[in-house]
Amino acid sequence: MHERFKQRPLTMGVLTGVTALLGGIEPAAADIIPLSQPFGTIITSDSASGIISGSFSDSGSDLTTFSQFNTLGGTRELTGVTVTVTSLSSVLEATVSGSCFAELSTGNCGAAATNDSTFSVAISIAGPFSPLTQLLSTSASDQCTVGESGGSCSYNDSTSNLNLPSDFTFTATIAQLSLFAGLGTFDVTPGLSLAGEHSAFAESTFEASSNVSAGTSWSGTIDVTYEYRLVNGVPEPASLFLLGAGLAGLGFARRKLPRN
């Protein structure tokens, strides 16, 4: 009984050393680093006048730069990256207007426009990722009629949409995480591309003027969220001392045990 009592402090020393060692190398709980930056208003627009048909074409973008995740000498390991683009304000418009004049002819004149804009979010780091895109569209058309006795008429129509899709989210895969870690930067670029059709028409006896336009604007914020865990790969000296002392004491105690 006396020998067992003498071994108990040594055994506790071993357990204390092992516990301290494991506690020193166990990763800490996951943490989050949020980064947020606004991007400026992106505007695309085009217009035409006269009796013509054709296409709209315009584009705009706003490059926003973020710092890569700093591992602080290897003490942190990146476990997740999410990039979210949120709209704060947006307008999609198409407008047609004009007038006609004829002396003694019955007929129509007018115009139509369709605004097809694409909002995209591209991420560039060690080569661009596939961009996230959302197609947006609106149209406007109107016409007026001059009677048999002739005269003039005017037309005007405008449509807009203020409730455009707002959230675009990118989540990095496990294979992509290493690209976001380092001491460099990467770019997130929201952009608009406008491509629409427009036309204005009038019968041959008319004198007519038409104005056709389309436009899209967008502004918002970009949020980058890093998730990581702490990695303590080197045990503290006190932990090593406790473990070593415990193991040495246990070995010494075993040598002192009487043999049956």
Side-chain angles (χ1 to χ4, degrees):
M1 179 67 70
H2 183 65
E3 290 293 334
R4 291 182 180 178
F5 177 78
K6 291 174 62 178
Q7 293 178 55
R8 194 168 297 171
L10 298 173
T11 304
M12 292 179 62
V14 173
L15 293 176
T16 302
V18 171
T19 302
L21 178 61
L22 293 178
I25 63 175
E26 183 181 0
D31 202 352
I32 293 177
I33 300 178
L35 304 173
S36 181
Q37 293 186 39
F39 60 89
T41 301
I42 305 168
I43 299 175
T44 62
S45 62
D46 202 359
S47 61
S49 61
I51 304 175
I52 57 173
S53 297
S55 299
F56 291 119
S57 179
D58 192 22
S59 62
S61 62
D62 184 43
L63 183 148
T64 305
T65 300
F66 287 87
S67 296
Q68 292 177 253
F69 181 78
N70 187 349
T71 60
L72 293 180
T75 60
R76 300 189 300 179
E77 180 182 14
L78 187 62
T79 59
V81 178
T82 302
V83 179
T84 303
V85 177
T86 303
S87 171
L88 295 181
S89 64
S90 54
V91 179
L92 181 69
E93 289 184 305
T95 300
V96 295
S97 63
S99 61
C100 296
F101 176 79
E103 292 184 355
L104 297 172
S105 177
T106 301
N108 299 325
C109 71
T114 299
N115 179 358
D116 294 321
S117 292
T118 300
F119 182 77
S120 64
V121 180
I123 301 175
S124 299
I125 175 173
F129 296 129
S130 298
L132 311 174
T133 61
Q134 175 70 54
L135 178 64
L136 318 166
S137 182
T138 192
S139 60
S141 63
D142 204 5
Q143 64 182 40
C144 67
T145 302
V146 173
E148 292 182 1
S149 59
S152 63
C153 66
S154 299
Y155 59 88
N156 181 75
D157 183 40
S158 180
T159 61
S160 61
N161 184 354
L162 305 179
N163 300 311
L164 305 183
S166 60
D167 293 344
F168 298 80
T169 301
F170 165 84
T171 302
T173 65
I174 295 177
Q176 293 170 337
L177 288 180
S178 61
L179 299 177
F180 287 89
L183 299 178
T185 61
F186 66 94
D187 299 324
V188 181
T189 308
L192 286 175
S193 178
L194 179 152
E197 298 295 326
H198 62 85
S199 61
F201 64 92
E203 296 184 358
S204 59
T205 57
F206 280 70
E207 294 178 3
S209 63
S210 300
N211 297 289
V212 184
S213 64
T216 311
S217 65
W218 197 294
S219 65
T221 61
I222 303 172
D223 296 284
V224 176
T225 301
Y226 291 128
E227 296 183 13
Y228 70 95
R229 64 173 185 165
L230 294 177
V231 180
N232 300 323
V234 180
E236 295 181 359
S239 301
L240 291 177
F241 176 78
L242 285 174
L243 179 62
L247 292 176
L250 180 60
F252 180 77
R254 288 178 60 86
R255 292 177 59 185
K256 291 291 185 177
L257 288 177
R259 299 195 179 189
N260 295 331

